[in-house]
């Protein structure tokens, strides 16, 4: 491997799944080159490129078998690393901006990795949707500086209205008491319409082992900032003991 500067040989070594004496498979060489490139991207080298150079050497004979040895060289062009110089959030009112930013992987001083930008956006959407902001919109703005060695990230948030739970409707139970079902729910009248609470309520009801099928869903309603929640159940058959 030639051209290593920002990374050490030890960083790249686990990716070199090629050993002297192995059969030569060209597709494996391409996979290794892609893996080295991706490692550089994760470390903030967004312009890194890795070119494999394959040299076929003169034929040799070993233990009575003839073969053609192949020398493989990975030439690395790193380019400058890009670090995050700062992260800001605009349009944030429902959540403390510092608390929101603390949930993000891309923070000041960390290497900039573009795919992580999408993961951070999903984290912001999830935080808002768990507070009932079902129509929240999140976009990012990137400001590069110092020949793309630094980038400032600004998150633009349009929160929209908070959606609250109006009624929790339960259907499908015959033997199981309503109080037991409500005790397992993590979403209640007046609470935010939270995606996480819907999933957790469904998980906890299923974990009781009392139901064959559990579905907790939001009932759509237009022109209102409140929604009903439907808990649709199918009870499991009763277990009897015979002798």
């Amino acid at each position: 491997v030639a051209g290593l500067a920002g990374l050490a040989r030890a960083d790249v070594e686990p990716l070199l799944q090629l050993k002297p004496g192995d059969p030569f498979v060209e597709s494996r060489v391409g996979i290794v080159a892609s893996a080295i490139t991706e490692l550089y991207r994760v470390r903030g080298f967004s312009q890194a490129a890795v070119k494999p150079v394959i040299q076929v050497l003169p034929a040799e004979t070993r233990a009575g078998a003839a073969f053609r040895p192949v020398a493989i060289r990975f030439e690395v062009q790193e380019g400058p690393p890009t670090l995050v110089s700062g992260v800001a959030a605009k349009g944030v009112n429902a959540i403390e901006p510092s608390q929101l930013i603390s949930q993000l992987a891309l923070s000041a001083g960390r290497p900039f990795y573009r795919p992580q930008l999408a993961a951070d956006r999903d984290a912001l959407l999830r935080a808002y949707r768990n507070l009932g902001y079902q129509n929240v919109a999140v976009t990012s703005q990137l400001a590069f500086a110092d020949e793309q060695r630094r980038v400032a990230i600004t998150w633009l948030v349009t929160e929209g209205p908070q959606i609250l739970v109006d009624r929790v409707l339960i259907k499908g139970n015959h033997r199981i008491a309503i109080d037991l079902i409500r005790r397992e729910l993590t979403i209640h009248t007046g609470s935010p319409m939270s995606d996480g609470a819907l999933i957790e309520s469904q998980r906890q009801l299923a974990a009781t082992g009392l139901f064959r099928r559990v579905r907790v869903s939001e009932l759509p309603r237009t022109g209102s900032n409140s929604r009903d929640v439907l808990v649709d159940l199918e009870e499991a058959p009763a277990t009897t003991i015979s002798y």
Side-chain angles (χ1 to χ4, degrees):
V1 181
L4 293 176
L7 297 182
R9 171 79 184 198
D11 297 327
V12 179
E13 195 74 39
L15 305 178
L16 302 178
Q17 299 297 317
L18 304 167
K19 298 179 181 179
D22 286 349
F24 170 71
V25 181
E26 189 171 0
S27 60
R28 291 180 61 192
V29 177
I31 291 173
V32 171
S34 298
I36 297 174
T37 303
E38 186 64 14
L39 176 61
Y40 268 98
R41 300 281 169 83
V42 171
R43 299 291 181 90
F45 293 84
S46 59
Q47 302 177 44
V50 179
K51 178 183 177 182
V53 177
I54 301 171
Q55 181 183 6
V56 181
L57 303 177
E60 296 183 12
T61 302
R62 186 179 302 166
F67 63 94
R68 296 295 297 270
V70 175
I72 303 171
R73 178 184 180 90
F74 295 98
E75 296 182 351
V76 179
Q77 294 181 348
E78 294 182 337
T82 305
L83 299 179
V84 178
S85 59
V87 181
K90 294 183 178 180
V92 176
N93 298 305
I95 308 176
E96 184 68 29
S98 58
Q99 177 185 353
L100 195 65
I101 292 174
S102 67
Q103 303 180 35
L104 307 178
L106 291 176
S107 56
R110 298 289 300 275
F112 175 68
Y113 181 49
R114 191 172 289 274
Q116 185 61 49
L117 201 65
D120 281 354
R121 178 179 178 274
D122 291 343
L124 293 176
L125 289 174
R126 187 164 53 250
Y128 267 98
R129 290 181 66 87
N130 284 338
L131 292 178
Y133 292 87
Q134 301 295 310
N135 300 317
V136 62
V138 178
T139 57
S140 61
Q141 285 185 346
L142 303 178
F144 289 93
D146 192 17
E147 297 182 350
Q148 294 197 342
R149 294 178 183 273
R150 297 187 177 277
V151 59
I153 304 173
T154 302
W155 292 101
L156 305 178
V157 180
T158 304
E159 294 179 340
Q162 186 182 34
I163 307 299
L164 302 177
V165 177
D166 185 7
R167 297 175 299 170
V168 178
L169 310 175
I170 301 174
K171 64 172 273 191
N173 63 305
H174 303 288
R175 295 178 294 102
I176 310 302
I178 290 286
D179 290 343
L180 185 149
I181 296 171
R182 291 189 183 277
R183 187 179 65 197
E184 299 298 328
L185 297 176
T186 58
I187 195 164
H188 310 283
T189 298
S191 65
M193 180 61 72
S194 165
D195 289 353
L198 290 175
I199 295 172
E200 182 62 18
S201 295
Q202 184 167 301
R203 188 195 66 79
Q204 291 192 182
L205 283 172
T208 63
L210 300 174
F211 305 100
R212 177 180 293 169
R213 180 178 57 84
V214 177
R215 183 182 180 188
V216 182
S217 59
E218 170 189 348
L219 295 178
R221 181 190 297 178
T222 58
S224 175
N225 291 335
S226 61
R227 301 284 189 275
D228 293 335
V229 172
L230 176 63
V231 181
D232 190 5
L233 305 168
E234 181 182 346
E235 294 180 350
T239 302
T240 59
I241 299 176
S242 61
Y243 60 94

